[in-house]
Amino acid sequence: MDVVKVLENFKSLLIKEKSLLIKGIVDEETTNELSQLEKKKLDILSELSQLDVKALKQYSSLLREIEQLNKEIESLILNNLHFIESILKEIFPERETVYGSDGKNLGEVSIFNRKI
């Protein structure tokens, strides 16, 4: 396995994912493309997990770039989730409050943590 080629491929997938997230999920095609990117990334990560850590140490610069891209993508995803939550809060101001088993108020129910 050509490690550099695999890492570069992973980096290009992250760049593509970042680009799609910045443009926004506007249609089913974008959603499908993001889903395919996730599958490809998981395949690459599976390949890389078979390698010894020592084999990757020589590519630390490339790995740092990948790590930075991944952090940027994570931030974009979180920002999108917060944006959706704020819209839902405005649409449904009467949202429920969650209470723990001890009766303490745990905060508002989010669409992302509500049982459907």
Side-chain angles (χ1 to χ4, degrees):
M1 163 191 331
D2 184 7
V3 178
V4 173
K5 190 174 182 179
V6 172
L7 290 173
E8 287 291 345
N9 187 20
F10 190 71
K11 180 181 170 186
S12 70
L13 292 174
L14 289 172
I15 291 170
K16 178 71 174 171
E17 182 178 20
K18 180 181 173 184
S19 166
L20 289 172
L21 288 171
I22 288 172
K23 289 179 185 175
I25 302 172
V26 293
D27 56 15
E28 188 176 344
E29 184 180 329
T30 306
T31 304
N32 291 337
E33 196 169 350
L34 282 167
S35 179
Q36 291 300 317
L37 284 172
E38 275 307 306
K39 289 177 186 174
K40 290 177 185 177
K41 285 174 24 182
L42 285 173
D43 290 342
I44 290 173
L45 288 173
S46 178
E47 274 184 66
L48 291 172
S49 70
Q50 304 301 317
L51 295 174
D52 184 29
V53 175
K54 294 175 186 175
L56 294 173
K57 283 195 178 200
Q58 59 185 331
Y59 309 109
S60 61
S61 174
L62 186 53
L63 289 170
R64 276 193 296 276
E65 289 177 41
I66 288 171
E67 181 182 21
Q68 182 60 37
L69 277 168
N70 201 43
K71 285 180 183 179
E72 291 171 11
I73 289 168
E74 184 179 324
S75 177
L76 284 169
I77 291 170
L78 287 174
N79 286 337
N80 286 337
L81 288 175
H82 290 301
F83 176 70
I84 292 168
E85 280 292 323
S86 68
I87 289 173
L88 290 173
K89 189 173 183 178
E90 292 299 318
I91 295 172
F92 304 108
E94 70 282 351
R95 292 171 58 169
E96 302 170 14
T97 301
V98 178
Y99 295 94
S101 59
D102 58 358
K104 289 186 180 178
N105 182 344
L106 299 176
E108 291 182 347
V109 171
S110 163
I111 193 166
F112 303 108
N113 66 7
R114 182 181 302 176
K115 290 185 179 179
I116 298 176

